[in-house]
Amino acid sequence: MAPVTSLSHSVEQHLTSALSATLPEAAGADPLLRRSDRADFQANGILALAKKAKANPRELATQVVSHVVTGDLIGEIEVSGPGFLNVTITDGAITRNLAARYADADRLGVPHSAAPGTTVIDYAQPNVAKEMHVGHLRSAVIGDATVQILEFTGESVVRRHHIGDWGTQFGMLIQYLDEHPHELDHKDSQVSGEEAMSNLDRLYKAARRLFDADEEFKTRARRRVVDLQAGDPHTLATWQKFVDESKIYFFSVFEKLDMEIRDEDIVGESGYNDMLAETCRLLEESGVAVRSEGALCVFFDDVKGPDGNPVPLIVQKSDGGYGYAATDLSAIRDRVFNLKASTLLYVVDARQSLHFKMVFETARRAGWLNEDVKAHQLAFGTVLGKDGKPFKTREGETVKLVDLLDEAVERATTVVREKAVKVGLSEPEIVENGRYVGVGAVKYADLSTSAVRDYKFDLDQMVSLNGDTSVYLQYAYARIQSILRKAGEARPLAHPELELAPAERALGLHLDQFGETVHEVAAAYEPHKLAAYLYQLASHLTTFYDQCHVLSPDNSPEVVENRLFLVDLTARTLHLGMALLGIRTPDKL
């Protein structure tokens, strides 16, 4: 179906035409339309135009109003204050616009982007043979939501999971497994993620003990690093066992997070090995990188250490080894020239901002990034405990992501079970909804905070039915489904001829902003603004419930149908918006 033009955009077009008719030199000027508590919208752009034209702003505003056509869309328009325009929409226009959105079941009238491109997004980056911890949560959750939002707006998205699957630590693991070849053998064909991580953890600890205690083993382990980097087939085959075992674990964690991670999207550090030497050659030959004390470095005027000396980006070490920069720069080359990306998006901890600033600037100097191809770090802050300090266990260890998710689901299931009898949930439904509520609570707590900010991880608050939580939004959705089930033969149907109550108008105007909000969120990579929109939508719905009874016998059939239509569109918007954040909305809760 055709996209639906928002009410605000339609009003904007009317005002732009009126401005042009009043002041021809102002053709195309932005009327600066905003939502207002004095009317439906307020336009503030006339003040600046009047100053530029050396005109009286109130007189200019009055002339503009005389050129505005009222009727179907604009019900009232008046001059306020020094030259603001207060605009009130007709009830019929609100209902007709929402009816057009309602008719588009899949997209609710949200248009595709006018100029889509190809975005390669790098997120969810666990390390091979290591437990995923709470620090991996934000990259995965923010990245997944951003993928959903960008794809919905029409962007072509290529996922990349840059897992840590290379480095000197593998020499120790490979040598140990070579000497104990059955440590990763599976008695059964199916191994759970928990078992896979247990196998890896046991093997790592045993290898570490031997590495620290036995000098001969340490020497053999270091030789295996050389063999690995040289591409020795047997060493690579042993290394692959660690990667495969780790993937069993990774996929189990992402399944708990209700998140799709595809094997073909996993391209770790090892995936760029064959490009490293050429990357260094290109940088050195172009003069972007220079040799300094044997290392290949890139220097920056604005990056200096505490002693005032320049701090370079080291692409190749003096011993010939490659650092993270060489891998990241090679990944940029691959993503730009092979994947044809127009945007590179990195969902990475804010503490790595300086590294990526230097990497991106190096790529720009090399010509790999330019006006047509941009790179952006979607930096995120730290997950904190209730005490405001980095989230740790009581023993001071990093919290395992699996443990955190299991506890969230357990607490959410308790909340769901308390209401199960009232809403008629079976035991399987309690278990399923407990998972959706628990995982949704964790995701929403993360996504409702601006990515760059730290946030406190408080499960008690996350699974609360009150406040800005996913449970509150999920409950709002389930409550609407309950109303629709109780409606009997009455069906949702828009009635543009009806006058709307204040709470209906507020709800309708907010529903109409969904498409604009999604596009703003996509353009700025700010999922927290979509979460804020949905919370405000649920709040408008609560006010609507209090002031406008849907199924009251005192209502006419037309009022019942129109209110069912409003709440059903609200439910569809909540469902779609939450899905874009990666959160489920159960029908019963």
Side-chain angles (χ1 to χ4, degrees):
M1 293 187 64
V4 179
T5 301
S6 69
L7 291 168
S8 61
H9 187 65
S10 296
V11 171
E12 210 168 67
Q13 290 176 317
H14 275 62
L15 294 182
T16 299
S17 297
L19 278 169
S20 297
T22 306
L23 201 66
E25 60 267 36
D30 187 351
L32 299 179
L33 195 69
R34 303 286 185 271
R35 290 282 284 118
S36 172
D37 56 1
R38 295 172 179 265
D40 293 334
F41 298 99
Q42 186 176 81
N44 303 334
I46 289 177
L47 276 71
L49 289 172
K51 186 177 180 180
K52 191 174 181 180
K54 297 181 179 179
N56 180 293
R58 275 193 68 89
E59 290 178 3
L60 180 59
T62 302
Q63 292 176 48
V64 171
V65 167
S66 69
H67 287 98
V68 174
V69 177
T70 58
D72 287 345
L73 174 65
I74 297 175
E76 296 178 14
I77 180 168
E78 62 178 12
V79 180
S80 172
F84 302 132
L85 295 181
N86 287 340
V87 182
T88 300
I89 307 298
T90 65
D91 290 346
I94 294 173
T95 304
R96 283 192 296 272
N97 225 46
L98 295 182
R101 295 189 181 282
Y102 188 78
D104 183 7
D106 294 330
R107 299 190 58 82
L108 302 182
V110 179
H112 284 94
S113 173
T118 297
T119 294
V120 176
I121 178 167
D122 188 328
Y123 69 107
Q125 308 109 342
N127 295 308
V128 165
K130 290 186 179 179
E131 187 102 38
M132 288 179 69
H133 54 77
V134 69
H136 293 109
L137 176 67
R138 301 210 72 184
S139 175
V141 169
I142 295 169
D144 184 63
T146 305
V147 166
Q148 305 304 325
I149 293 165
L150 289 176
E151 287 187 333
F152 183 73
T153 59
E155 184 78 354
S156 175
V157 178
V158 180
R159 301 164 173 84
R160 277 294 176 265
H161 308 300
H162 191 86
I163 64 172
D165 64 351
W166 205 248
T168 56
Q169 74 274 19
F170 285 99
M172 176 185 76
L173 294 171
I174 291 167
Q175 185 60 35
Y176 184 86
L177 188 59
D178 235 21
E179 295 176 11
H180 303 80
H182 301 296
E183 285 292 307
L184 285 182
D185 288 353
H186 298 149
K187 295 178 181 178
D188 302 315
S189 57
Q190 294 293 325
V191 177
S192 69
E194 186 178 348
E195 289 170 327
M197 191 64 245
S198 177
N199 292 337
L200 291 166
D201 186 56
R202 184 187 69 251
L203 195 150
Y204 180 87
K205 288 177 179 176
R208 182 85 246 180
R209 282 195 300 270
L210 193 57
F211 186 86
D212 292 338
D214 188 333
E215 286 299 322
E216 291 184 2
F217 176 78
K218 185 180 292 187
T219 300
R220 294 195 299 274
R222 286 173 174 162
R223 285 200 205 106
R224 297 313 289 268
V225 177
V226 177
D227 294 341
L228 179 64
Q229 293 173 341
D232 171 63
H234 175 71
T235 302
L236 282 173
T238 308
W239 165 82
Q240 187 65 46
K241 290 182 179 180
F242 288 100
V243 175
D244 293 342
E245 193 80 6
S246 297
K247 284 182 178 180
I248 295 171
Y249 164 68
F250 295 158
F251 288 133
S252 73
V253 177
F254 291 124
E255 186 179 2
K256 278 181 181 287
L257 271 170
D258 198 15
M259 191 178 294
E260 181 189 27
I261 301 290
R262 300 176 305 205
D263 191 60
E264 60 266 29
D265 299 331
I266 298 176
V267 182
E269 296 169 9
S270 64
Y272 306 100
N273 280 341
D274 294 343
M275 300 177 67
L276 301 180
E278 186 181 18
T279 295
C280 292
R281 179 181 63 78
L282 291 170
L283 291 173
E284 189 168 15
E285 288 180 355
S286 65
V288 172
V290 296
R291 292 287 169 182
S292 176
E293 298 179 11
L296 185 63
C297 304
V298 182
F299 289 91
F300 309 86
D301 293 336
D302 59 344
V303 182
K304 292 181 170 62
D307 56 2
N309 292 323
V311 176
L313 180 71
I314 300 175
V315 184
Q316 187 177 27
K317 303 171 189 175
S318 57
D319 64 2
Y322 301 105
Y324 288 122
T327 303
D328 288 332
L329 287 163
S330 297
I332 287 177
R333 289 177 54 219
D334 176 64
R335 293 166 184 183
V336 171
F337 299 111
N338 295 332
L339 300 179
K340 308 300 181 185
S342 51
T343 302
L344 305 180
L345 187 58
Y346 292 76
V347 187
V348 183
D349 193 314
R351 288 170 291 189
Q352 296 187 44
S353 292
L354 178 59
H355 169 77
F356 279 100
K357 175 185 175 183
M358 296 164 78
V359 166
F360 295 161
E361 176 58 26
T362 299
R364 275 189 286 271
R365 292 180 186 179
W368 306 333
L369 297 176
N370 49 49
E371 287 302 309
D372 297 321
V373 186
K374 295 180 172 59
H376 176 76
Q377 182 192 358
L378 206 177
F380 57 83
T382 304
V383 181
L384 307 175
K386 290 182 183 180
D387 57 3
K389 298 177 181 178
F391 199 22
K392 303 281 186 180
T393 65
R394 290 180 180 176
E395 294 74 28
E397 297 176 358
T398 303
V399 178
K400 295 178 181 179
L401 184 51
V402 170
D403 292 345
L404 181 149
L405 294 174
D406 286 344
E407 184 178 357
V409 169
E410 183 180 336
R411 294 212 193 177
T413 303
T414 300
V415 172
V416 171
R417 194 177 298 281
E418 288 172 357
K419 294 183 174 291
V421 175
K422 185 178 179 181
V423 296
L425 290 178
S426 65
E427 183 60 28
E429 288 175 322
I430 293 172
V431 172
E432 181 179 66
N433 286 0
R435 179 183 173 224
Y436 294 157
V437 171
V439 172
V442 171
K443 288 184 176 182
Y444 186 85
D446 193 314
L447 295 169
S448 60
T449 304
S450 174
V452 75
R453 291 177 54 195
D454 300 341
Y455 81 96
K456 292 183 180 180
F457 195 93
D458 184 349
L459 273 178
D460 292 329
Q461 174 58 29
M462 289 179 187
V463 298
S464 171
L465 286 168
N466 302 309
D468 188 6
T469 67
S470 67
V471 192
Y472 176 63
L473 303 183
Q474 288 168 322
Y475 184 68
Y477 176 82
R479 191 174 181 183
I480 293 173
Q481 300 308 311
S482 176
I483 289 173
L484 294 173
R485 287 192 294 270
K486 293 175 182 175
E489 295 182 2
R491 290 289 176 265
L493 185 63
H495 285 276
E497 74 280 5
L498 291 178
E499 182 179 339
L500 298 176
E504 291 176 301
R505 288 179 57 84
L507 180 61
L509 287 168
H510 193 73
L511 284 167
D512 187 63
Q513 292 178 307
F514 178 64
E516 291 178 344
T517 300
V518 169
H519 279 279
E520 288 170 9
V521 166
Y525 313 122
E526 294 180 324
H528 71 280
K529 291 187 176 178
L530 177 56
Y533 169 88
L534 295 172
Y535 174 64
Q536 291 165 1
L537 178 59
S539 299
H540 279 300
L541 184 68
T542 299
T543 303
F544 170 86
Y545 281 140
D546 292 341
Q547 298 179 9
C548 305
H549 295 162
V550 178
L551 301 178
S552 170
D554 296 333
N555 293 338
S556 69
E558 292 78 14
V559 168
V560 171
E561 289 172 345
N562 201 60
R563 289 182 176 174
L564 284 172
F565 150 72
L566 275 174
V567 296
D568 195 16
L569 180 57
T570 301
R572 294 183 184 190
T573 306
L574 282 169
H575 176 78
L576 177 54
M578 293 286 269
L580 293 177
L581 295 179
I583 300 172
R584 307 256 189 172
T585 44
D587 285 350
K588 293 181 181 180
L589 200 60

